[in-house]
Amino acid sequence: MLQRISQLVVVSAIAGLLVAALTLPAVGGMGITARNIAAGFLDMPSNLETPPPPQRSTIYDADGGVIAEIFDQNRELVPLEDISPVMIDAILAIEDARFYEHGGLDVAGTLRAAVRTLGGNTQGASSITQQYVKNVQIEAATSQEELDAAREETIARKIRELRYAVALEKRMTKDEILEGYLNIAYFSDGAYGVESAAQHYFDIPASELELHQAATIAGLVRYPYLYNPRFFPEQTVERRNVVLDRMVASGAITEAEAEEAKEEPLEVDLDTPPNGCVPSGQPFFCDYVVQEIEKDERFGPNETERARWLRTAGLEIHTTLRPQVQEASQTAVDEWVPRENESRKVSAQVIIEPGSGRILGMAQGRNYGPDESKLGETSINFATDSDRGGSTGFQAGSTFKAITLAAALEEGLPFSTAFNSPTSVSVSGQRNCNGGYLATWEPSNAGDTASGTTHNMVSGTKASSNTYFAQLQAKVGICDVMKMAEKLGLKRADGTLFTENENSLANSSFTLGSEEVSPLRVANAYATFASGGVYCEPQAITKIEDKQADSTIEIEPECERVLEEDVADGVAYLLSQTFNGGTASALGIGRPAGGKTGTTDGSAAAWFAGFTPQMASAVFVADPRGPQQYPLRNVTIGDRYFSVVYGATISGRIWQESFRAAHEGLEVEQLPSAPGRFGSTSVPRPPSEPDDDPSPASDDGGVPDVVGLTEADAVTALEEAGYTANVSGTRLNSPEPEGAVAAVNPDPGTRLPEGATVNVFLSRGGGTAGADEDDDGWFRVRPAHTPTTTRD
């Protein structure tokens, strides 16, 4: 102990003399300054904290693939044994050849610098330990004031560094100091630490650096900007050769080895390392993960601290994203709503695992970037709510009818609950959650739903009858339906609850999906039906490994039962019937599924939400500039023209194609059967038709079979039958001659009200009916009237 104290006293005396020589002119007073410094040296603080320097964080998918790297400084820490010995020799030769001999202060080097300083020629004299101390202080700075203090060219800073360096040499081994230095040093061009430098310049780990490469990197430390290989390659080579000469002088290499290394061309690879979500292959999910960390209080006291933690702690963030599911989703979205489509329409899809809430896929028909004026680019994640980087949402249309079904079943209503469901109805007496009465509401059926008939839950869901669900909502109570939505995790995308939002409380048409929501919330509600009534918070992150804190944060699913299993199974059964003669008939995926189309008033937005036991999803298509101002009518998206877009037209196809690919390799699981407590699943028998109905559209034959006829003959036949013919610009592969009618929708024999529109598709020849991917056989009949809220 006495020996250490005496050593420290000697060092303090030398430090006082050397610092004075280095920092003051040789004009009187030098002795006084040295005495003052030496006297106070022992009293200075010496306990320097040496936390790990900032490192890059990495986000991984569920299979361990890299989604993105995020950092303030591109750095990866490595132990000394993983650094090439020749790299160690190079840095010691050029920066501190006597590193393993001195005690933090290189007296000989500092004396040499002092002599030159006295002669008017300044020269730095910092040992590697001193440089390490300075870098630690810079990286530990949490304010501009602290940063300025760590960088200031003053006597006080120099003395502080000396005091810390001397103390550090007593606390850490030489190898520990050297390892810390090589990991914290800046090696120019955005490369922090020797591992990142090796990767950045030569695309190899630091353990594989060869002599000429190591000398190049070592030469960058003293003046990183002056020797930057990107801008000053000649100076870089000159500096490398100086390092090689120093290595010869230190005995690390022979002169012959140095000359051979000098003959090597520079050959650096200067690709900018990807940083953040913009270069990611899954940018919108990446953005969602970043938002989750920055907005979640469990990761730090405030958003600023959480953002700093994310970008400096070297986190390994493990997520729920499954590559197969994500690829299936993004491929389907890009196929149907290309990112740079001239119509500027956008689509987004979220796929969630029922029973865990894990987000398996999140895709969007846009490139990720900050320039909103650039075609096909946005930083808004339309898949999620505004507080997670999303928008204020889009009306979800008839996907909300599933919520009304859940509320009705929870209140004990049977499947056989029936109402006369004419073309339009008048609904009055509804009371909102504040107890106030709502204005009389007169909803109408959309053109693709059967009218003038009696529906129960089964047939009303299959037909997506607006007038049926309006009456079902009135029977259950609109406030109960809203509360059911919130129980399923739904809320407005702006973050407000339906039961607390003034506009929502004044909204009579809640069951028809007139609330602006995000696909994430809708998908998660449908996942609750698929899971048997267990609601789970959407989850993107499963585990965060914090290298700096040497800790791991495990994130478990947050789930609770919100529906009785029979209620959830009953809804799942009803939604499965839409694939059996309902609005989703053309969207089968070869395994049991449930789902619901949704198209808002005027085709402003089109949705599809559906599930299997393994996955649940919601997809929407709309125009972010304003769905009502830029509706989905007479629009070309990519290379497809659509006279009108319904829920099954695009969103349904995205769901269908993504689910087929996402489920490849998975076992086929069955949906639950209809719970017996809700009674019969039979549909109501249709009433007998009067014999004297004068409307030709009510003839027993329904829509005439015009397949194979010429366009003119088909139009004439349809008009004579009392219908309006709409000849689509989309032609189908068909065995019929080119230009002849290949198909009609609805199918021949379908009974429709007078004046209803029948879509006519002409043949392009050369194929089998239905084989072409442009076969929009799910186009729905355009009504003769205008619906008030939603259509499918």
Side-chain angles (χ1 to χ4, degrees), residues 515-749:
E515 295 291 329
E516 288 85 4
V517 293
S518 69
L520 178 69
R521 294 287 174 181
V522 175
N524 208 36
Y526 274 60
T528 306
F529 301 140
S531 69
V534 175
Y535 169 81
C536 301
E537 283 291 329
Q539 181 184 1
I541 304 169
T542 58
K543 180 172 64 175
I544 299 178
E545 298 177 74
D546 186 339
K547 294 180 182 178
Q548 286 192 352
D550 192 24
S551 63
T552 299
I553 302 172
E554 300 280 354
I555 302 175
E556 299 297 330
E558 298 179 20
C559 303
E560 64 173 327
R561 176 167 294 284
V562 296
L563 297 178
E564 294 179 37
E565 189 170 1
D566 278 355
V567 172
D569 290 351
V571 176
Y573 169 77
L574 292 170
L575 294 178
S576 72
Q577 297 308 295
T578 64
F579 291 88
N580 182 24
T583 57
S585 292
L587 301 177
I589 58 173
R591 62 177 63 217
K596 188 71 193 70
T597 53
T599 313
T600 63
D601 190 19
S603 297
W607 288 68
F608 189 86
F611 57 84
T612 66
Q614 294 108 317
M615 299 180 198
S617 172
V619 189
F620 90 98
V621 180
D623 196 312
R625 296 173 297 175
Q628 284 72 30
Q629 294 88 342
Y630 301 93
L632 299 168
R633 290 178 173 274
N634 299 314
V635 61
T636 298
I637 303 176
D639 59 358
R640 296 182 176 93
Y641 169 79
F642 303 93
S643 58
V644 60
V645 175
Y646 297 102
T649 311
I650 295 177
S651 297
R653 282 299 294 267
I654 291 172
W655 179 89
Q656 180 185 46
E657 293 180 8
S658 64
F659 263 46
R660 282 175 174 169
H663 282 76
E664 286 183 5
L666 297 181
E667 293 184 5
V668 175
E669 295 186 15
Q670 301 298 316
L671 290 173
S673 57
R677 64 181 277 197
F678 298 119
S680 173
T681 59
S682 299
V683 301
R685 297 186 62 182
S688 58
E689 298 287 343
D691 296 332
D692 58 351
D693 190 335
S695 168
S698 66
D699 288 347
D700 290 340
V703 174
D705 186 355
V706 296
V707 174
L709 299 183
T710 64
E711 177 182 346
D713 289 345
V715 170
T716 298
L718 290 168
E719 290 177 347
E720 288 179 350
Y723 303 111
T724 300
N726 174 53
V727 180
S728 172
T730 300
R731 295 200 172 196
L732 312 180
N733 284 348
S734 168
E736 302 299 335
E738 183 176 0
V741 176
V744 294
N745 184 272
D747 293 333

Side-chain angles (χ1 to χ4, degrees), residues 30 56 146 199 201 225 265 317 323 423 441 467-468 485 494 578 600 644 680 743 752 763 792:
M30 189 180 97
R56 62 173 177 255
E146 291 179 359
Q199 296 282 359
Y201 295 117
Y225 304 102
I317 305 162
T423 300
W441 175 39
T467 56
Y468 175 81
D494 63 11
T578 64
T600 63
V644 60
S680 173
L752 300 171
S763 171
D792 291 317

Side-chain angles (χ1 to χ4, degrees), residues 60-66 319-324:
Y60 299 97
D61 62 35
D63 289 351
V66 174
T319 73
T320 59
L321 195 77
R322 290 186 190 167
Q324 177 182 339

Side-chain angles (χ1 to χ4, degrees), residues 95-328:
E95 292 299 322
D96 191 353
R98 281 175 292 277
F99 172 71
Y100 279 96
E101 301 169 12
H102 62 67
L105 176 65
D106 183 1
V107 176
T110 306
L111 282 172
R112 184 174 62 252
V115 171
R116 294 193 179 188
T117 299
L118 292 172
N121 181 20
T122 60
Q123 174 181 323
S126 294
S127 66
I128 279 181
T129 308
Q130 290 171 259
Q131 292 182 53
Y132 178 52
V133 166
K134 180 179 180 180
N135 281 324
V136 167
Q137 290 181 302
I138 289 173
E139 297 302 346
T142 58
S143 67
Q144 188 61 45
E145 183 180 358
E146 291 179 359
L147 187 61
D148 292 342
R151 289 175 171 170
E152 64 185 1
E153 295 296 332
T154 65
I155 298 174
R157 184 202 62 116
K158 194 71 176 178
I159 297 173
R160 280 198 308 271
E161 286 179 6
L162 285 172
R163 182 67 181 95
Y164 282 136
V166 171
L168 208 61
E169 290 269 359
K170 304 300 181 183
R171 180 161 57 90
M172 298 174 65
T173 67
K174 286 286 189 179
D175 283 354
E176 288 173 340
I177 293 171
L178 183 59
E179 178 181 303
Y181 172 75
L182 285 168
N183 278 302
I184 203 171
Y186 179 54
F187 291 96
S188 186
D189 206 50
Y192 291 83
V194 68
E195 178 69 14
S196 292
Q199 296 282 359
H200 179 56
Y201 295 117
F202 303 110
D203 197 27
I204 57 174
S207 60
E208 297 179 10
L209 288 169
E210 298 179 4
L211 175 58
H212 66 287
Q213 297 167 328
T216 300
I217 291 175
L220 304 176
V221 173
R222 180 63 59 86
Y223 299 113
Y225 304 102
L226 178 62
Y227 299 128
N228 188 328
R230 185 184 297 274
F231 304 112
F232 309 109
E234 293 181 1
Q235 288 94 317
T236 303
V237 171
E238 290 176 3
R239 181 65 175 171
R240 177 197 68 182
N241 293 343
V242 169
V243 175
L244 291 169
D245 289 339
R246 292 284 184 87
M247 294 179 74
V248 172
S250 69
I253 60 174
T254 66
E255 190 166 337
E257 289 172 326
E259 292 304 316
E260 182 180 354
K262 289 178 183 179
E263 295 299 318
E264 293 285 346
L266 186 59
E267 292 184 345
V268 291
D269 180 4
L270 295 175
D271 287 342
T272 301
N275 182 13
C277 296
V278 172
S280 171
Q282 305 84 27
F284 293 100
F285 180 78
C286 170
D287 182 80
Y288 184 82
V289 170
V290 171
Q291 295 279 344
E292 280 284 280
I293 291 174
E294 293 182 352
K295 300 292 175 59
D296 195 326
E297 294 182 356
R298 71 180 125 176
F299 301 130
N302 56 62
E303 192 166 339
T304 300
E305 287 300 314
R306 295 189 288 266
R308 177 182 174 87
W309 181 63
L310 170 63
R311 290 162 177 80
T312 63
L315 307 177
E316 292 191 352
I317 305 162
H318 300 271
T319 73
T320 59
L321 195 77
R322 290 186 190 167
Q324 177 182 339
V325 178
Q326 176 66 20
E327 182 179 359

